[in-house]
Amino acid sequence: MNFDYSDEQKALKEEARRFLAARCSANRVHAVLDDDTVAYDAELWRGVAEQGWLGAAIPEAYGGLGLGHVELCALAEELGRACAPIPFASTLYFVAEALMLHGTEAQRARWLPRIVAGEVIGALATSEGPGPLTPRSVRTRVVDGKLSGRKIPVTDGGAATLFVVLADDGLYLCEAASGVEPLATLDPTRPAAAVTFDAVPAERLGRAGEGWSALAAVLDRAAVLLAFEQLGGADRCLEMARGYALERHAFGRPIASYQAIKHKLADMYVKNEVARSNAYYGAWALNSGGAELPLAAATARVAASDAFWFAAKENIQTHGGIGFTWEADPQLYYRRSRQLALVAGAPALWRERLVAALETRNAA
């Protein structure tokens, strides 16, 4: 079975790479990093919407392109490679997927066209502080259609205009929050916030009492899409490290000729290829809607998180002293590798889900 992109999908990737090279240089990412008043690159967000990327996997009936999830995976890979400072993941991987999975026809008709147009920025609000997320740890409540609780951290919570919120009895849609407190995070190009809801009007998303299964389904889809972002970032880290190693000379030789650097690059390449294989498997499972998605998603998530963190770390090491400076680009990818590894649950959680999925499959 061939899991590789089709010629049309490869053309989409190439076009996306050209667009991002022109509109999302490292200098643009640094500009967002350096400016505490900017939550994301608004100009790039408008450009992405104009390109139709926000509607890649959204059906044509709701204003999308209806291409499918493999095409969205291809775009995610290029966005990860560019370290794009926009709320693409929060809006598309979490909120749009939640609407397509669990929304009513009225909810989809109201929100999906606005997401496609770039008018809505979404955020998933689940965690309520340190520690694992469990049914007992969720204190957010809905009484008479009004939601109250505090979620922390919420990625892109400061810019969001639509929240998918986990309450004690299910998922809810909220158009506004009572209070938003920006948080200091490792990656300010994908900022997080503490979001407070105080008797905010809320609309149920999905069936009552099925919040955990509904959330799990959303996370499985998001895990695959995030894996492609991580893969794109890991590939870029390898390219950066290789390019610098070929240019930088020490003792009259390129540092790429030294065995220690060769081993670093080789180890990065191997981990990236393992992540790529698992990501492609995840994309197939996501696009086909098969029962293997929980297993494929967990596998892709674990492999991609490991590959991106390793590549980002080794990229800095390969660059040596300059790799640790503020002006250098390797830090951008290290920050993003840490952010993406936690945004949908830590790798430890996904390893547990992987083991559970393997046990379920083997018991069948």
Side-chain angles (χ1 to χ4, degrees):
M1 184 178 293
N2 182 10
F3 289 116
D4 197 6
Y5 293 117
S6 67
D7 290 341
E8 292 80 8
Q9 291 158 353
K10 289 177 181 177
L12 175 64
K13 269 176 57 67
E14 292 171 1
E15 179 59 33
R17 183 170 299 189
R18 285 193 293 269
F19 174 84
L20 291 169
R23 304 283 291 274
C24 187
S25 65
N27 289 338
R28 295 286 292 271
V29 184
H30 276 286
V32 175
L33 176 65
D34 293 338
D35 191 341
D36 294 337
T37 66
V38 175
Y40 64 99
D41 188 331
E43 183 180 342
L44 178 61
W45 181 250
R46 288 192 295 270
V48 164
E50 291 168 0
Q51 292 291 309
W53 296 1
L54 301 180
I58 293 177
E60 293 181 63
Y62 305 109
L65 299 179
L67 298 176
H69 282 93
V70 174
E71 285 75 11
L72 184 57
C73 289
L75 293 172
E77 187 175 349
E78 294 305 317
L79 288 164
R81 189 179 188 277
C83 208
I86 53 176
F88 193 89
S90 297
T91 304
L92 270 295
Y93 310 166
F94 293 106
V95 173
E97 290 296 327
L99 284 165
M100 289 191 288
L101 271 175
H102 308 300
T104 64
E105 179 58 32
Q107 289 169 336
R108 294 174 186 172
R110 180 182 182 187
W111 292 112
L112 290 178
R114 295 179 64 188
I115 287 175
V116 172
E119 299 172 359
V120 168
I121 293 175
L124 177 69
T126 56
S127 176
E128 299 187 5
L133 183 65
T134 66
R136 291 186 177 182
S137 71
V138 178
R139 296 178 293 276
T140 300
R141 302 285 186 270
V142 176
V143 179
D144 297 329
K146 302 294 181 64
L147 183 143
S148 298
R150 187 171 188 263
K151 297 294 186 178
I152 177 172
V154 179
T155 301
D156 296 313
T161 54
L162 179 64
F163 296 90
V164 172
V165 184
L166 176 66
D168 62 333
D169 66 337
L171 295 177
Y172 287 84
L173 286 172
C174 292
E175 295 184 47
S178 304
V180 176
E181 177 188 349
L183 301 175
T185 65
L186 183 62
D187 185 7
T189 66
R190 291 299 312 284
V195 181
T196 301
F197 301 93
D198 185 7
V200 172
E203 187 176 349
R204 183 178 293 282
L205 185 64
R207 298 179 181 178
E210 296 184 359
W212 286 97
S213 59
L215 177 62
V218 173
L219 292 179
D220 282 340
R221 291 182 168 218
V224 175
L225 296 162
L226 289 169
F228 275 90
E229 272 206 29
Q230 292 169 307
L231 176 60
D235 279 344
R236 180 59 185 144
C237 287
L238 176 56
E239 290 178 10
M240 292 170 66
R242 177 183 177 274
Y244 184 80
L246 289 171
E247 293 177 0
R248 178 74 166 89
H249 283 64
F251 305 105
R253 296 166 53 186
I255 64 172
S257 66
Y258 292 102
Q259 191 175 47
I261 299 298
K262 290 180 180 179
H263 285 178
K264 286 182 181 294
L265 299 177
D267 289 343
M268 292 165 69
Y269 175 80
V270 170
K271 285 183 177 289
N272 286 9
E273 290 306 301
V274 170
R276 190 183 321 281
S277 297
N278 286 303
Y280 283 9
Y281 173 43
W284 168 81
L286 174 58
N287 204 56
S288 65
E292 293 182 67
L293 179 57
L295 174 58
T299 304
R301 176 71 170 158
V302 170
S305 296
D306 180 53
F308 194 10
W309 171 77
F310 184 82
K313 173 177 67 74
E314 293 300 289
N315 184 32
I316 291 176
Q317 292 290 333
T318 302
H319 278 74
I322 195 174
F324 290 86
T325 62
W326 187 264
E327 293 78 9
D329 296 339
Q331 61 153 325
L332 302 175
Y333 291 87
Y334 185 84
R335 292 172 184 273
R336 186 60 60 86
S337 74
R338 296 293 76 206
Q339 190 271 337
L340 289 179
L342 298 174
V343 70
L349 168 68
W350 285 95
R351 285 192 287 270
E352 292 177 3
R353 293 181 67 153
L354 174 57
V355 171
L358 286 171
E359 288 177 342
T360 299
R361 187 185 69 174
N362 293 337

